[in-house]
């Protein structure tokens, strides 16, 4: 690498890290100022608070890293332009494409680190972050689906319950239907179901089993029955943030399982999976846009470049949120919703790059 490559690359990474180190403490202070009353009211131990804000740091940095990266590149590239350093570099015979090389290398490094974070580190931080939030900040609010739960537990059996209680591991108005070749063979119902973790059995009160025959059904009734059932109670109603807490391999397996069970939250889970790739890739797109916008020396100076950058950055975030919500609440494709912003801003990056090169 030439000296100019090291110079730009070091500025690229140093400015990005400096911006993270500057804004993350601000985020922590803002969050702490909002939640301090809840922390004091619940008498949360100091070590739990410290662990929470450690997880919050990773969660917050991953959430906003595209904006931090974008603004940091605009900041230091605008300084290079204002100091006429870019003009000097290009006047020495270096092409604009060659000038971009250290930026692309920096984006590759950031993308690689972001992939490691989103695939493995962020899920652990997200679990701790959300568990703490629901335990102390959202007391009384359920993190799981608990009413009118319907699931396909395997190829042949479906269950339904009007009310699930994860804390007590009980369910009300429970039914299990067994099918073979699209024909119902038997149906089990109970007014109350309780899971017994010591032996993994279930207790069913007011038990009724109807075995369906060609001519006459067989009806079996009992006050109480202890039996095995073909599902794990804790897996029936996963917490709403479950997808964020799984690494990529676990998430793909979880999505496949939830599809078989007929979950209504598949779009939300797929959005999380697709973002594991789309967010790191955005480092390249935002890098090219940032360089193209700020490499030109403008009459208004750095402030104009930052203003343009802020508008573009928040436009990116806005579209990402809008299409993500659209996919969660409708039949809109999660794949298109997640990648739409990258594709649109990728085209913008190509246009701005060509314009800047001229």
């Amino acid at each position: 690498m030439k000296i100019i490559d090291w110079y730009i690359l070091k500025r690229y990474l140093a400015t990005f890290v400096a911006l993270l180190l500057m804004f993350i403490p601000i985020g922590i202070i803002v969050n702490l100022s909002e939640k301090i009353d809840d922390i004091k009211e619940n008498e949360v131990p100091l070590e739990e608070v410290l662990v929470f804000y450690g997880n919050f740091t990773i969660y917050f940095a991953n959430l906003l890293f595209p904006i931090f990266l974008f603004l940091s590149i605009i900041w230091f590239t605008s300084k290079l332009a204002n100091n006429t350093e870019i003009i000097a570099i290009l006047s020495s015979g270096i092409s604009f494409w060659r000038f971009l090389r250290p930026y692309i290398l920096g984006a590759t490094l950031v993308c690689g680190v972001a992939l490691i974070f989103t695939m493995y580190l962020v899920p652990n931080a997200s679990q701790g972050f959300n568990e703490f939030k629901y335990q102390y900040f959202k007391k009384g609010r359920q993190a799981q689906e608990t009413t009118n739960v319907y699931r396909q537990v395997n190829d042949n059996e479906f269950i339904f319950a009007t009310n699930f209680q994860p804390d007590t591991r009980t369910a009300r108005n429970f039914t299990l239907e067994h099918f073979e070749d699209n024909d119902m063979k038997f149906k089990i119902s109970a007014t109350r179901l309780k899971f017994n973790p010591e032996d993994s059995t279930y207790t069913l009160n007011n038990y009724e089993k109807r075995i369906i025959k060609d001519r006459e059904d067989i009806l079996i009734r009992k006050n109480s029955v202890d039996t095995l059932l073909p599902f794990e109670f804790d897996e029936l109603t996963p917490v709403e943030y479950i997808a964020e807490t799984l690494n990529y391999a676990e998430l793909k397996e979880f999505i496949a399982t939830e599809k078989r069970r007929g979950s209504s939250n598949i779009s939300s889970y797929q959005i999380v999976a697709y973002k594991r790739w789309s967010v790191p890739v955005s480092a390249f797109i935002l890098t090219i846009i940032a360089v193209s916008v700020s490499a030109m020396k403008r009459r208004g100076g750095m402030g104009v470049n930052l203003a343009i950058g802020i508008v573009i950055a928040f436009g990116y975030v806005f579209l990402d949120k809008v299409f993500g919500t659209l996919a969660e609440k409708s039949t809109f494709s999660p794949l298109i919703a997640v990648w739409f912003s990258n594709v649109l801003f990728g085209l913008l990056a190509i246009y701005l790059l060509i314009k800047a090169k001229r």
Side-chain angles (χ1 to χ4, degrees):
M1 283 180 94
K2 293 187 176 181
I3 294 176
I4 189 64
D5 294 326
W6 279 114
Y7 177 68
I8 293 176
L9 181 60
K10 286 191 291 185
R11 295 286 294 274
Y12 182 108
L13 298 176
T15 309
F16 174 52
V17 172
L19 205 63
L20 281 177
L21 294 178
M22 182 173 64
F23 277 95
I24 286 176
I26 295 174
I28 292 174
I29 291 171
V30 171
N31 184 271
L32 182 60
S33 65
E34 293 178 351
K35 306 299 184 183
I36 188 65
D37 290 337
D38 292 326
I39 292 173
K40 292 168 66 177
E41 180 182 345
N42 291 291
E43 298 181 349
V44 185
L46 177 60
E47 56 270 22
E48 289 191 34
V49 175
L50 294 176
V51 171
F52 168 73
Y53 280 105
N55 292 326
F56 174 85
T57 297
I58 298 174
Y59 186 86
F60 182 73
N62 178 73
L63 184 67
L64 296 179
F65 109 85
I67 294 179
F68 291 153
L69 179 67
F70 187 67
L71 295 180
S72 65
I73 296 170
I74 286 183
W75 175 268
F76 86 83
T77 306
S78 295
K79 290 186 68 176
L80 293 179
N82 286 342
N83 295 334
T84 65
E85 293 178 74
I86 294 178
I87 294 175
I89 292 170
L90 298 179
S91 299
S92 66
I94 294 177
S95 68
F96 194 81
W97 299 109
R98 176 64 182 82
F99 170 70
L100 275 177
R101 189 169 79 172
Y103 286 94
I104 299 302
L105 179 57
T108 303
L109 292 174
V110 171
C111 179
V113 173
L115 277 174
I116 295 173
F117 265 71
T118 57
M119 297 296 182
Y120 302 105
L121 298 180
V122 173
N124 290 332
S126 180
Q127 181 170 355
F129 172 80
N130 282 290
E131 286 177 352
F132 186 95
K133 183 172 66 174
Y134 275 93
Q135 182 178 356
Y136 295 113
F137 300 156
K138 295 188 176 183
K139 297 183 70 175
R141 177 179 170 183
Q142 291 287 345
Q144 298 170 261
E145 181 184 358
T146 57
T147 58
N148 296 327
V149 177
Y150 176 83
R151 291 287 186 274
Q152 180 177 353
V153 295
N154 53 47
D155 292 338
N156 299 316
E157 290 168 319
F158 299 78
I159 65 168
F160 174 80
T162 58
N163 182 271
F164 264 79
Q165 293 297 329
D167 295 338
T168 59
R169 292 182 174 180
T170 59
R172 296 285 181 183
N173 302 320
F174 171 81
T175 62
L176 181 147
E177 298 174 343
H178 179 88
F179 290 82
E180 292 179 10
D181 298 325
N182 294 324
D183 293 326
M184 185 186 294
K185 296 301 181 180
F186 65 82
K187 178 179 179 179
I188 294 173
S189 60
T191 57
R192 183 176 183 270
L193 173 143
K194 178 174 174 54
F195 178 64
N196 306 306
E198 59 274 7
D199 56 4
S200 298
T201 62
Y202 292 85
T203 300
L204 289 85
N205 300 119
N206 298 320
Y207 171 88
E208 181 179 286
K209 181 175 182 179
R210 182 180 295 274
I211 302 173
I212 300 172
K213 299 294 185 179
D214 291 337
R215 293 189 175 182
E216 186 176 356
D217 296 350
I218 299 173
L219 190 61
I220 302 171
R221 288 193 176 103
K222 294 183 180 181
N223 290 332
S224 180
V225 169
D226 290 337
T227 186
L228 295 171
L229 293 175
F231 58 85
E232 295 290 337
F233 188 90
D234 293 337
E235 295 179 356
L236 291 177
T237 57
V239 293
E240 62 182 25
Y241 54 83
I242 182 67
E244 298 178 12
T245 68
L246 303 174
N247 65 43
Y248 190 71
E250 294 170 339
L251 180 56
K252 297 295 288 184
E253 183 179 349
F254 173 75
I255 291 174
T257 301
E258 288 298 294
K259 280 184 177 179
R260 291 195 300 269
R261 290 176 174 170
S263 172
S264 60
N265 297 319
I266 293 299
S267 292
S268 299
Y269 302 148
Q270 289 178 324
I271 287 172
V272 174
Y274 294 140
K275 281 190 174 182
R276 298 283 174 92
W277 293 101
S278 69
V279 172
V281 168
S282 68
F284 291 98
I285 297 169
L286 296 177
T287 293
I288 293 173
I289 293 177
V291 175
S292 302
V293 167
S294 56
M296 186 185 305
K297 188 173 183 179
R298 301 178 188 276
R299 181 174 298 177
M302 191 184 303
V304 175
N305 288 339
L306 284 174
I308 295 173
I310 290 172
V311 170
I312 293 174
F314 282 95
Y316 178 90
V317 173
F318 175 76
L319 287 177
D320 182 63
K321 293 296 182 183
V322 167
F323 279 91
T325 303
L326 182 64
E328 289 179 0
K329 305 298 182 182
S330 69
T331 58
F332 193 79
S333 168
L335 180 63
I336 296 175
V338 170
W339 283 97
F340 180 82
S341 296
N342 276 356
V343 172
L344 179 63
F345 280 80
L347 295 174
L348 176 63
I350 293 172
Y351 168 76
L352 293 175
L353 184 61
I354 293 172
K355 187 177 179 181
K357 179 177 178 292
R358 290 175 181 172

